[in-house]
Amino acid sequence: MRFVIVTGLSGAGKSQTLHFMEDFGFFCVDNLPPLLIPKFAELCFQSRGNIDKIAVVTDIRGGQFFNDMAECLSVLKQQGYPYEILFLEASDPVLIKRFKETRRRHPLASEGRVAYAIAEERSRLQYIKEKATYIIDTSELLPKQLKEQLHHLFVENERYEGMTISIISFGYKYGLPLDADLVFDVRFLPNPFYVPSLKEHTGLEKSVREYVLKQPETPIFVSKLKDLLSFLIPGYIKEGKNELVIAIGCTGGMHRSVTIAEVIKEYLMAQGYKVMVEHRDVNERR
């Protein structure tokens, strides 16, 4: 049985997460006071397999009841009920924007500004965040991407690495990806655009990939990039970073950047990391 406690910051996507969990076949309960969670867990574990996937949301909306979270986790441990904690968060600017767009009031913002309420909530939730099994930052996630991450964790049961790596190939002529953490420019590599037989093809095709990879500069660059990422990623994970966006750009985003993005994706997946790739401009035409 999987018993998942979903919590986190207001506006970070808990309601949306619960809808996705329902889609995955979880029995879901929203806004359950912490002191009721052990009793609910007992009922679920006594169902003899009739209910084998449960997700409960508990958060600051519970007011004083939420202060009993430490006691709740202690009771679950004492009674031998295994549980997982999924903590959702987002950056302050993103949370403020979401509250303004939805015109909803923050649970702690009875009188003060939303920014102060968010800071207070972060402080109150620090304890449960430190206990979390999984932490997902939804600041830059589209609903589809959030669902993919949840699917990895709770349907495919992939090993949790504490980080999702997104690789984006792009064309500089269309602008840099705004959410990129690391940007690598591969415009120094010979451009297949100037080879008539390759011009209308992309780095997803064998002919272009072979052309890019056979250039003398390419294996040197790829080797150094792999070494750099092998050094950086464990450090990011150690510091608690849960999403890394790697952008690889060339002029138009069709040939060189696509090829290198695919090579790096294959390398990182072979290392056991959870990797998603997006070729942002591959279908653009000059």
Side-chain angles (χ1 to χ4, degrees):
M1 176 180 288
R2 298 195 76 169
F3 192 90
V4 182
I5 299 172
V6 181
T7 189
L9 295 169
S10 301
K14 297 187 296 296
S15 296
Q16 194 171 57
T17 293
L18 208 62
H19 293 319
F20 291 145
M21 299 291 271
E22 287 181 342
D23 292 342
F24 300 153
F26 277 74
F27 181 83
C28 298
V29 179
D30 190 16
N31 201 14
L32 191 65
L35 282 180
L36 295 182
I37 291 178
K39 185 62 178 178
F40 181 65
E42 180 183 351
L43 294 173
C44 294
F45 278 89
Q46 290 177 353
S47 69
R48 299 183 179 181
N50 292 326
I51 304 176
D52 61 353
K53 295 190 294 184
I54 300 97
V56 299
V57 173
T58 184
D59 54 32
I60 208 70
R61 289 174 297 168
Q64 290 300 317
F65 288 115
F66 191 71
N67 296 334
D68 300 318
M69 197 66 214
E71 182 179 347
C72 159
L73 299 182
S74 177
V75 172
L76 287 174
K77 184 176 180 180
Q78 291 173 6
Q79 295 180 348
Y81 296 134
Y83 62 87
E84 302 165 81
I85 299 175
L86 170 62
F87 189 95
L88 298 168
E89 65 175 353
S91 67
D92 286 7
V94 168
L95 292 174
I96 292 172
K97 181 181 178 182
R98 289 175 183 174
F99 276 106
K100 287 183 177 295
E101 289 177 345
T102 61
R103 298 186 179 180
R104 294 186 61 195
R105 192 182 72 175
H106 190 285
L108 298 180
S110 57
E111 297 180 2
R113 292 169 51 196
V114 173
Y116 298 151
I118 293 172
E120 174 64 19
E121 186 177 27
R122 284 192 189 279
S123 176
R124 294 191 190 184
L125 293 180
Q126 186 59 35
Y127 168 80
I128 191 68
K129 181 179 179 180
E130 292 174 355
K131 298 288 184 180
T133 314
Y134 320 108
I135 300 175
I136 296 179
D137 187 331
T138 66
S139 300
E140 303 295 338
L141 293 184
L142 298 172
K144 177 183 176 181
Q145 294 172 316
L146 174 59
K147 188 172 185 178
E148 287 176 349
Q149 289 201 24
L150 295 171
H151 193 275
H152 286 317
L153 294 176
F154 300 112
V155 178
E156 299 174 11
N157 297 317
E158 291 190 359
R159 181 165 60 94
Y160 183 66
E161 296 291 346
M163 176 184 286
T164 296
I165 300 174
S166 297
I167 301 176
I168 303 174
S169 69
F170 72 96
Y172 275 93
K173 66 188 296 184
Y174 303 111
L176 276 77
L178 297 178
D179 57 343
D181 296 300
L182 301 172
V183 179
F184 298 98
D185 184 346
V186 296
R187 287 177 293 183
F188 68 93
L189 298 174
N191 193 349
F193 175 79
Y194 297 108
V195 179
S197 63
L198 301 178
K199 179 178 178 179
E200 298 301 322
H201 297 275
T202 76
L204 294 173
E205 299 172 67
K206 182 179 179 181
S207 57
V208 173
R209 181 179 174 119
E210 289 181 345
Y211 176 88
V212 173
L213 295 181
K214 76 177 183 181
Q215 304 304 316
E217 304 94 329
T218 305
I220 299 173
F221 171 74
V222 168
S223 177
K224 291 182 180 297
L225 181 53
K226 288 178 179 178
D227 286 344
L228 178 61
L229 294 176
S230 295
F231 171 76
L232 290 175
I233 293 174
Y236 288 142
I237 292 174
K238 183 178 179 181
E239 290 303 310
K241 189 173 179 61
N242 52 69
E243 182 184 22
L244 178 67
V245 180
I246 302 170
I248 300 175
C250 61
T251 304
M254 284 181 59
H255 303 107
R256 295 164 291 181
S257 62
V258 173
T259 295
I260 300 303
E262 286 291 319
V263 169
I264 297 304
K265 178 198 74 172
E266 294 163 5
Y267 169 72
L268 293 177
M269 290 182 69
Q271 304 304 305
Y273 293 111
K274 185 168 53 186
V275 183
M276 296 185 291
V277 67
E278 175 189 351
H279 301 299
R280 193 192 71 179
D281 303 323
V282 73
N283 293 319
E284 297 287 349
R285 287 293 182 265
R286 295 162 176 79

